[in-house]
Amino acid sequence: MLKATVTGRIWSTKKLSEMPAGSILEVVVDESSSRLLAFDPLGCGEGEKVIVATGSVAAGWFPGKAPPIDALIIGSIDESATKK
């Protein structure tokens, strides 16, 4: 799992029928500053800190045949709860 920050939203003119409701977001991984495109079923917004699963863990979330997704946002980090 990776801790990342949402930096943008990706728009597409076509949708794959096997994709559930959600969007594709650009995220920057906090430790390495690398950029990923991650599927977001949660409705996260720009600037939000998130937890991202990658690889087979991300693909395993989808029922049936997995779509071509290898990064999945699995949680949103509440920054106000971590700073006491």
Side-chain angles (χ1 to χ4, degrees), residues 11-79:
W11 297 98
S12 176
T13 56
K14 291 189 177 188
K15 182 179 182 321
L16 296 174
S17 60
E18 62 267 23
M19 292 286 290
S23 57
I24 298 179
L25 302 180
E26 179 182 40
V27 298
V28 174
V29 178
D30 290 356
E31 291 182 10
S32 66
S33 297
S34 61
R35 294 182 181 274
L36 295 173
L37 297 180
F39 183 75
D40 173 32
L42 305 176
C44 297
E46 195 166 331
E48 195 168 340
K49 298 281 187 181
V50 294
I51 300 171
V52 179
T54 57
S56 62
V57 173
W61 180 81
F62 297 93
K65 182 181 177 202
I69 299 288
D70 66 354
L72 174 69
I73 295 175
I74 60 170
S76 175
I77 300 171
D78 183 359
E79 291 286 310

